[in-house]
Amino acid sequence: MSAGLHFLLRSLFVLLLLLWKPIIVDLFCCFICMMGLGHEEGFGAPCLKCKEKCEGFELHYWRKICRNCKCGQEEHDIPSSSEEDRKVGKLFEDTKYTTLIAKLKNDGIPLYKRNVMILTSPVPYKKSVTIDTVTYEWAPPVQNQTLAKQYMQMLPKEKQPVAGSEGAQYRKKQLAKQLPAHDQDPSKCHELSPSEVRHMEQFVKKYKKEALGVGDVKLPGDVEVRAPDENNLKNGGGRGTSSTVGTMEKSPDRKASQYSCYHCKLSMKEGDPAVYAERAGYDKLWHPGCFVCGTCGELLVDMIYFWKNGNLYCGRHYCDSERPRCAGCDELIFSNEYTLAEGQNWHLKHFCCFDCDCVLAGITYITVNDKPVCKSCYMKNHAAICQGCHNAIDPEVQRVSYNNFNWHAKRECFLCSCCSKCLIGQKFISVEGMLFCSVACKEKMMS
């Protein structure tokens, strides 16, 4: 090879490298991001909903779903890790609930000190006695273990967080669903601008001050109540504070049956514990199984609640009542510009095809299971197949549907399977996707 040709090829290579460098860097960063997030969030964990149909959890690089099966992280059997306790620890940071967290010496990150309750009981076995141990992955942080045990027994069996049980799986799922990390931590969000970060930090600070609380388990007779201050109700939308909820003294003259649950309105039973929410005021109480979110109806995980306008909310639905949430990335929207489509809110950059992630602004899209899909992906992955020509049916053309079968509304597709007579506007007989214009044609074809 001549020196001149060698020099020319080297120059072309350098030029191409310079032109493609931004794309290569973006792709590399995207790959690193996906790999890092995937492994951090339980890469490869099986989906509890899709079972073997999912190849294992792989976190999408900006959606909060699995790239393989499109289910959320909470639907996968991801092993418990310190990330859950870090998330709740950060939520309680700079609040009155700092007694529920501890800061690690090595990094100073607040860690949730959830109360784990271990109960042991002797069980006769043949001629000896064995010890049966039951571990609750979370229990109310009360000094009286008998009270905590009573509380647990009043929860539905399938929601009691016994280690290794359906209830423990339920608690883990609700932690992910009710208290998403991206509702409180800007670093868990996708490419926020400095202005968005600032607005989010102000929002989090505000709800910690005005709405966040943790339920308190007590016997009704142990609490003397006083309704929240009227001025506070007017100014704070029904929010109570420690200065408005009254004293914590015993009230022996009042029977438990005289107390009624704020949720179901039924009377409390003698000796049963109740859950109180300080921000609501100690004149209100709930059965343990009734301490639920007013929107989703789910048990408030670890009794963590948000109080607004006389209602309890989980973290997710409180935030939804305050800010629009992007249907693409599941994050709260703090930018001034966003779009509304299909009855949902979207960041402008996240109004994308649910299958291929191409931006949908200005192009045709089709809604599939409430998710927008570009026309190309729809034709490839979701379109109905014509029984006549066996091709995908364009969503913008007319079709005929009958008994879960579909045809192009054309002479060459919607016709008799025996004599090829066009059946558009005519009576017909359908047998397993085949069409017949008459009983004679059906019998001739089926014989």
Side-chain angles (χ1 to χ4, degrees):
M1 183 183 293
S2 66
L5 183 58
H6 186 265
F7 175 79
L8 180 61
L9 290 173
R10 285 186 62 187
S11 300
L12 285 171
F13 178 78
V14 171
L15 180 62
L16 286 170
L17 186 62
L18 289 172
L19 289 173
W20 285 87
K21 183 179 178 181
I23 299 174
I24 293 170
V25 170
D26 284 348
L27 288 172
F28 179 76
C29 289
C30 180
F31 175 77
I32 293 298
C33 178
M34 286 190 290
M35 292 302 291
L37 284 174
H39 286 291
E40 288 174 10
E41 302 292 339
F43 183 80
C47 181
L48 300 171
K49 190 175 182 180
C50 300
K51 307 297 182 181
E52 66 278 354
K53 292 180 181 179
C54 176
E55 297 176 7
F57 185 70
E58 183 181 349
L59 186 64
H60 187 281
Y61 75 102
W62 58 264
R63 299 184 193 270
K64 309 302 185 292
I65 60 172
C66 174
R67 292 170 61 89
N68 293 318
C69 67
K70 309 293 186 182
C71 291
Q73 179 181 344
E74 69 278 2
E75 299 291 351
H76 290 76
D77 190 17
I78 298 174
S80 298
S81 68
S82 61
E83 282 303 309
E84 294 172 349
D85 292 338
R86 288 173 183 267
K87 176 180 70 174
V88 181
K90 186 172 180 62
L91 179 66
F92 289 154
E93 190 176 28
D94 301 321
T95 70
K96 66 172 291 181
Y97 302 104
T98 51
T99 54
L100 297 176
I101 63 176
K103 290 196 175 183
L104 302 180
K105 291 182 179 180
N106 55 344
D107 55 16
I109 296 176
L111 196 68
Y112 178 36
K113 296 189 300 182
R114 57 190 166 90
N115 184 42
V116 177
M117 182 170 69
I118 301 175
L119 301 178
T120 58
S121 58
V123 178
Y125 181 73
K126 295 182 179 180
K127 294 183 179 182
S128 62
V129 175
T130 61
I131 302 298
D132 182 37
T133 302
V134 177
T135 301
Y136 291 91
E137 293 187 351
W138 171 86
V142 293
Q143 292 183 343
N144 186 342
Q145 193 179 76
T146 301
L147 198 64
K149 185 178 178 181
Q150 281 182 282
Y151 167 90
M152 284 300 180
Q153 291 172 341
M154 291 180 69
L155 297 181
K157 188 75 175 177
E158 68 275 11
K159 295 182 180 180
Q160 296 177 13
V162 176
S165 71
E166 179 186 0
Q169 191 68 41
Y170 173 80
R171 175 183 174 271
K172 186 168 69 170
K173 181 177 180 178
Q174 294 308 316
L175 268 176
K177 197 71 177 175
Q178 296 184 22
L179 302 171
H182 50 271
D183 277 8
Q184 58 158 317
D185 188 352
S187 70
K188 302 295 184 181
C189 299
H190 181 237
E191 297 178 349
L192 295 185
S193 68
S195 174
E196 289 172 308
V197 171
R198 185 171 65 255
H199 281 101
M200 183 176 184
E201 289 174 341
Q202 291 171 350
F203 173 72
V204 172
K205 184 177 181 181
K206 184 173 183 290
Y207 75 54
K208 285 186 177 184
K209 181 180 179 181
E210 297 181 355
L212 174 65
V214 179
D216 197 8
V217 178
K218 292 185 178 295
L219 291 173
D222 290 347
V223 180
E224 182 179 333
V225 301
R226 184 180 72 203
D229 183 82
E230 289 298 321
N231 292 326
N232 183 69
L233 286 172
K234 292 177 182 178
N235 298 330
R239 301 183 183 96
T241 64
S242 57
S243 62
T244 65
V245 295
T247 58
M248 300 293 292
E249 297 175 359
K250 288 192 176 184
S251 180
D253 298 330
R254 191 175 177 186
K255 295 182 179 180
S257 59
Q258 295 177 280
Y259 297 90
S260 60
C261 173
Y262 186 71
H263 177 74
C264 70
K265 311 305 180 187
L266 296 178
S267 298
M268 304 298 293
K269 292 182 179 179
E270 196 72 37
D272 281 353
V275 183
Y276 291 85
E278 185 182 35
R279 290 191 183 275
Y282 280 90
D283 59 326
K284 301 176 183 67
L285 71 167
W286 288 259
H287 291 112
C290 291
F291 200 63
V292 299
C293 171
T295 298
C296 64
E298 296 292 352
L299 197 66
L300 290 166
V301 65
D302 293 11
M303 300 193 302
I304 299 170
Y305 71 88
F306 291 74
W307 180 255
K308 179 182 176 182
N309 296 335
N311 292 299
L312 292 170
Y313 294 96
C314 65
R316 170 178 290 275
H317 290 114
Y318 170 81
C319 291
D320 286 350
S321 75
E322 293 283 315
R323 303 291 309 185
R325 186 182 296 277
C326 176
C329 67
D330 196 49
E331 295 170 14
L332 300 172
I333 299 175
F334 292 96
S335 57
N336 293 325
E337 294 184 351
Y338 60 96
T339 189
L340 179 65
E342 303 301 324
Q344 301 182 94
N345 302 297
W346 310 78
H347 287 112
L348 297 178
K349 61 185 177 183
H350 291 157
F351 186 52
C352 302
C353 172
F354 196 63
D355 286 3
C356 71
D357 290 334
C358 73
V359 178
L360 296 174
I363 68 171
T364 301
Y365 67 89
I366 301 92
T367 302
V368 178
N369 297 326
D370 296 326
K371 305 294 183 183
V373 177
C374 70
K375 188 173 179 179
S376 175
C377 284
Y378 177 84
M379 293 296 289
K380 183 170 64 176
N381 304 324
H382 308 284
I385 302 300
C386 175
Q387 289 295 113
C389 66
H390 303 293
N391 291 321
I393 302 175
D394 190 299
E396 296 180 276
V397 303
Q398 285 189 323
R399 70 177 177 181
V400 180
S401 298
Y402 185 79
N403 281 352
N404 295 322
F405 293 106
N406 301 276
W407 296 264
H408 286 105
K410 299 191 297 185
R411 294 178 60 87
E412 58 267 32
C413 292
F414 195 63
L415 43 75
C416 178
S417 299
C418 180
C419 68
S420 299
K421 175 185 176 181
C422 177
L423 296 175
I424 295 176
Q426 304 295 318
K427 291 183 178 180
F428 62 89
I429 302 169
S430 174
V431 179
E432 296 180 358
M434 292 188 292
L435 302 173
F436 301 101
C437 63
S438 63
V439 173
C441 275
K442 173 192 169 186
E443 291 177 348
K444 183 179 179 180
M445 193 73 176
M446 302 299 285
S447 62

